[in-house]
Amino acid sequence: MIEDLEDERSLVEEWLKKITEAEKVYAKYYELVDETRDFYKDSKGSKNGKYNIFWSSVETLKPFLYFKQPKFYVERSDKMADQAEKLACEILENALKWDLEQFDFDSVIKYARNDFLISGTGIIWEQYKPVIEMQPDPLDPEREIAVKTGEKVESVYLDPKYFLSDTDRVGVWEDVTWIARKIYMDREVAAEEFDVAFWENDSGRKDVCIYEIWDKVSGKIYWLSRAVADKFLKVSDNLLNINGFFPCPKPIFATMTNDSIIPMPDYCMIREMLNELNGINARMKLTMQALKVSGAYDNSFPELADILSKDVTLVAVGDFVKLRESGGIRGIVDFAPIEQYVVALEQLAVRRQDVIASIFDVTGVSDIMRGASDGRETATAVVKKTNFGTLRNQDRQNDMQRFIRDLLKIKAEIICEMFEPVRLAEFLDQTKRQNGALVNQAIHILKTEKLRGMLFKVETEAVFNREEESNKTINAVKTINEMVTVALAAVGRQPLLLPLYKMMINSVVELLPRGQMFESVLEKVFADVAAFLERQQAQQMQQSAAQQPHPSLALEIQKNALKAKELEIKEKLEQQRIDMENRQLDAETALKKQKLDMEENGELKK
């Protein structure tokens, strides 16, 4: 809070000056907002044959830009993150889905989309709304205390005419240091809420304009009004702690340059053509009124006065001989020329089509997007035209997805910052809540690190690419089915390959379009396969144990094997002894023979 009253009064004056200067800069744009809205809905009720092609263009582009509430996913940026981070993503995704069901989020997005297409700016403001109830004080039952019994984060539509921002040396959104929104409240309600007395104004209005200012420089939120010019209605710190400070994402803007964040609506680019088109239609209407049969006749034949006002009929003429002598009806009746009106109408019709085609060229609404195509065109030509119309507006469709993604991020940050831990845990099913330590760790991540390590993916379903979206899903299913089939066959032969195939499949699924929906199911499949393999291994071990002989029998078999081995060794040793004796005997025999031979030859002396 501001301690010194003089400093507060000076700061209030400074902010009122900033607000006044910003409103002067925005004044022309506010006028454009009124003008575009009046033209779009033809609020003045034109009776000159207005052809509201602007309304038609906007209605055509609406479903292309935003068709229905998008699907979104909260994922881990690090696919190898631990289970706590994975659980934190699941908590946040479930919390966001629950929060969007608490109000009509789809309608709020469409309000912003309509403002963008008509007036050039779409803005949504995020608000944290706790549910406070008075309950008896547990310490003192005779008194009541305020207790928070619920909470939500609501997306609130903001009319571009009630939006203000910093305009001093601001060229792009990132240069903005403060934003503000105008809130019109009943004077008595405002006095009760802010506990101040508002000055009466000369206009006698019962409501009062309050400015809610978010100042990034000071990190404060100010509420002030010109009806209380000497002090702030309220000053608050930024309790939401949003990354980027502001409670709204960068608005979705129409045509912009890098020297101002005030956009130029598409209406301004085709205003002259729209006025010409209305002028052409007004002329065509007058020409059609002038295009009628009129002429003169001889008053001596009064019976012919009403001949054109009747269907096929015969008219009795008093002097038919004179009528015939005068050349018949052609001789006594003459018509005013209308050829010039027919030619003018044809030329106006051609010019109108040229102007309409020019308007569609500028707005990017191709003929195929309007449902008009030439039956003589080939399928390739139709596809090319469809792609061309899509590419011209793809940037805006991407910006719309960015807008929704940023909006969800702000909502997620507020949920992490403001929701009670007990409330966050309730967004998990009962089975996952049983692991209290892991749940507490995941909630701690949300409370301390918020969206760190998380990716937000938004998928909008445009009416023009349903076939493409279907093909992506079909291809993802085919790829996953093929990989799982191969993996199960390989793991069945060699269970030790399960972790490898699990990592391989997860890495591919994470990159597949529409692959996110399969991740949780695949986790369960791999867990079931691992459990099945464990059971199968246990059964095999039991069967192997059952086939093993009794321990005493096995011991006897082992003893017999040892005895057999011992006998075999003995036999070998005995054989070796016999062989040695035989070799010794052979040596002695040979020696004796040699001695005898020497004696016979007298070589051996006695």
Side-chain angles (χ1 to χ4, degrees):
M1 294 298 293
I2 303 171
E3 298 178 358
D4 188 86
L5 295 178
E6 289 297 329
D7 291 343
E8 181 177 5
R9 188 176 293 108
S10 175
L11 190 57
V12 169
E13 292 177 357
E14 180 182 343
W15 273 111
L16 287 176
K17 183 179 179 181
K18 289 181 180 181
I19 291 292
T20 301
E21 292 174 352
E23 285 182 328
K24 289 180 180 178
V25 177
Y26 272 88
K28 185 177 180 180
Y29 175 68
Y30 292 158
E31 293 175 359
L32 273 176
V33 173
D34 289 333
E35 183 180 347
T36 54
R37 289 174 174 176
D38 289 342
F39 196 97
Y40 172 76
K41 61 184 180 181
D42 194 16
S43 59
K44 296 181 180 179
S46 175
K47 298 180 181 180
N48 296 323
K50 180 177 179 180
Y51 190 88
N52 200 341
I53 198 70
F54 179 58
W55 173 86
S56 177
S57 299
V58 170
E59 292 301 304
T60 301
L61 290 172
K62 277 182 179 180
F64 179 81
L65 192 65
Y66 176 81
F67 182 55
K68 64 179 182 179
Q69 184 167 317
K71 299 176 182 178
F72 64 91
Y73 306 94
V74 181
E75 298 180 332
R76 297 161 290 170
S77 56
D78 179 10
K79 301 304 181 181
M80 303 302 294
D82 59 24
Q83 291 299 313
E85 291 190 11
K86 179 182 177 182
L87 196 62
C89 291
E90 184 176 348
I91 292 174
L92 193 54
E93 183 175 315
N94 292 340
L96 284 170
K97 290 179 179 178
W98 171 86
D99 188 76
L100 296 184
E101 294 173 355
Q102 305 310 303
F103 61 96
D104 194 354
F105 180 77
D106 182 64
S107 293
V108 175
I109 297 295
K110 287 180 178 178
Y111 296 152
R113 176 203 63 185
N114 296 349
D115 277 341
F116 164 68
L117 291 173
I118 298 171
S119 305
T121 305
I123 310 171
I124 295 179
W125 203 277
E126 289 293 336
Q127 287 187 167
Y128 172 71
K129 292 188 174 181
V131 179
I132 305 298
E133 295 182 359
M134 301 303 296
Q135 296 182 359
D137 187 351
L139 301 178
D140 186 3
E142 295 183 358
R143 55 189 296 269
E144 292 184 335
I145 57 174
V147 178
K148 183 170 70 173
T149 58
E151 50 196 337
K152 65 178 179 178
V153 184
E154 186 172 353
S155 302
V156 180
Y157 160 74
L158 182 60
D159 192 320
K161 290 179 62 178
Y162 297 156
F163 178 78
L164 281 172
S165 71
D166 182 14
T167 56
D168 185 20
R169 294 186 297 276
V170 171
V172 294
W173 176 257
E174 287 70 21
D175 296 336
V176 175
T177 60
W178 63 266
I179 62 173
R181 63 170 174 168
K182 303 176 186 178
I183 305 172
Y184 288 90
M185 300 179 64
D186 181 84
R187 190 175 297 270
E188 295 181 358
V189 174
E192 182 178 353
E193 179 170 341
F194 293 102
D195 193 23
V196 295
F198 290 88
W199 302 339
E200 294 290 339
N201 53 23
D202 298 334
S203 63
R205 290 175 60 100
K206 292 184 178 181
D207 60 356
V208 61
C209 179
I210 297 170
Y211 297 91
E212 179 183 330
I213 306 167
W214 290 66
D215 180 31
K216 186 184 293 186
V217 176
S218 65
K220 301 287 186 181
I221 308 167
Y222 303 102
W223 285 263
L224 61 80
S225 173
R226 288 192 174 92
V228 183
D230 58 343
K231 65 178 181 178
F232 289 109
L233 302 178
K234 182 181 177 183
V235 179
S236 173
D237 294 323
N238 181 18
L239 301 178
L240 302 180
N241 291 324
I242 300 169
N243 183 25
F245 187 78
F246 298 138
C248 68
K250 174 185 176 181
I252 178 170
F253 290 120
T255 302
M256 292 182 66
T257 54
N258 293 341
D259 59 354
S260 174
I261 67 165
I262 300 178
M264 188 65 67
D266 292 351
Y267 166 83
C268 296
M269 309 302 170
I270 59 174
R271 178 163 44 189
E272 294 303 321
M273 288 185 284
L274 292 173
N275 291 334
E276 181 183 357
L277 182 61
N278 287 337
I280 291 173
N281 281 282
R283 288 174 179 269
M284 292 181 72
K285 184 177 181 179
L286 294 175
T287 303
M288 288 295 296
Q289 292 174 351
L291 189 62
K292 60 182 181 180
V293 179
S294 59
Y297 68 97
D298 187 347
N299 62 4
S300 60
F301 296 94
E303 300 91 343
L304 301 178
D306 298 327
I307 192 172
L308 297 179
S309 62
K310 300 178 181 179
D311 295 332
V312 179
T313 184
L314 293 176
V315 178
V317 180
D319 193 350
F320 186 76
V321 176
K322 181 180 178 181
L323 175 65
R324 186 170 56 185
E325 291 175 350
S326 299
I329 292 179
R330 291 179 179 274
I332 62 175
V333 177
D334 194 14
F335 294 95
I338 61 172
E339 291 80 4
Q340 66 272 26
Y341 295 108
V342 174
V343 173
L345 193 61
E346 291 176 348
Q347 293 178 345
L348 288 171
V350 171
R351 179 55 185 165
R352 183 173 70 173
Q353 289 304 116
D354 291 341
V355 174
I356 291 174
S358 299
I359 291 174
F360 282 132
D361 284 342
V362 174
T363 57
V365 182
S366 65
D367 53 352
I368 193 66
M369 290 172 64
R370 292 183 285 116
S373 60
D374 191 343
R376 296 169 295 179
E377 292 180 323
T378 64
T380 303
V382 172
V383 170
K384 286 183 177 179
K385 290 201 297 183
T386 304
N387 292 338
F388 178 72
T390 303
L391 288 175
R392 289 194 63 185
N393 292 280
Q394 189 65 55
D395 186 58
R396 290 189 168 184
Q397 191 179 61
N398 292 339
D399 198 29
M400 188 70 185
Q401 290 185 347
R402 185 275 311 165
F403 177 71
I404 297 174
R405 183 171 58 251
D406 291 350
L407 192 69
L408 292 174
K409 283 184 178 180
I410 292 175
K411 187 185 293 291
E413 285 189 82
I414 297 175
I415 288 174
C416 292
E417 185 71 28
M418 304 302 294
F419 277 33
E420 298 292 337
V422 176
R423 181 65 178 137
L424 292 173
E426 291 176 355
F427 293 115
L428 291 173
D429 57 48
Q430 189 63 39
T431 57
K432 293 183 178 180
R433 267 185 271 172
Q434 292 177 357
N435 190 343
L438 185 61
V439 173
N440 291 336
Q441 188 178 352
I443 293 175
H444 179 73
I445 292 174
L446 294 177
K447 283 295 184 179
T448 57
E449 303 179 22
K450 290 188 179 179
L451 310 186
R452 184 193 67 81
M454 298 184 186
L455 295 178
F456 282 74
K457 292 186 178 181
V458 175
E459 296 178 2
T460 57
E461 296 184 17
V463 68
F464 301 105
N465 59 2
R466 282 183 177 175
E467 183 176 356
E468 180 182 353
E469 299 295 309
S470 299
N471 290 335
K472 286 182 179 180
T473 303
I474 293 172
N475 291 334
V477 171
K478 288 182 178 179
T479 303
I480 294 172
N481 180 60
E482 292 173 359
M483 294 187 67
V484 170
T485 301
V486 172
L488 291 179
V491 170
R493 294 189 298 269
Q494 180 50 265
L496 295 178
L497 293 176
L498 178 62
L500 175 61
Y501 275 98
K502 177 181 178 182
M503 182 179 295
M504 291 168 56
I505 293 176
N506 284 338
S507 63
V508 173
V509 170
E510 288 160 359
L511 300 176
L512 283 176
R514 308 295 181 271
Q516 299 89 345
M517 65 182 72
F518 301 103
E519 286 187 349
S520 60
V521 178
L522 284 173
E523 286 288 343
K524 185 177 185 304
V525 168
F526 285 125
D528 292 343
V529 170
F532 172 77
L533 292 175
E534 289 180 1
R535 291 195 301 270
Q536 190 178 50
Q537 186 177 8
Q539 291 175 358
Q540 291 176 352
M541 292 180 64
Q542 291 176 358
Q543 292 175 359
S544 176
Q547 294 174 356
Q548 293 294 327
H550 192 273
S552 59
L553 179 61
L555 182 59
E556 189 66 26
I557 293 174
Q558 188 176 5
K559 288 181 178 180
N560 292 335
L562 290 173
K563 287 181 179 180
K565 191 71 174 176
E566 183 179 356
L567 290 174
E568 182 181 354
I569 293 172
K570 287 182 178 180
E571 288 178 356
K572 287 183 178 180
L573 291 173
E574 182 64 21
Q575 185 64 41
Q576 290 176 358
R577 185 184 65 78
I578 294 172
D579 292 341
M580 185 178 294
E581 290 179 352
N582 289 335
R583 284 195 298 270
Q584 186 177 2
L585 181 62
D586 291 341
E588 291 176 352
T589 302
L591 183 60
K592 288 179 180 180
K593 183 179 180 182
Q594 184 180 9
K595 186 176 180 182
L596 290 174
D597 291 341
M598 290 176 65
E599 289 177 353
E600 288 177 359
N601 295 329
E603 294 178 359
L604 183 64
K605 294 181 179 182
K606 295 184 179 179

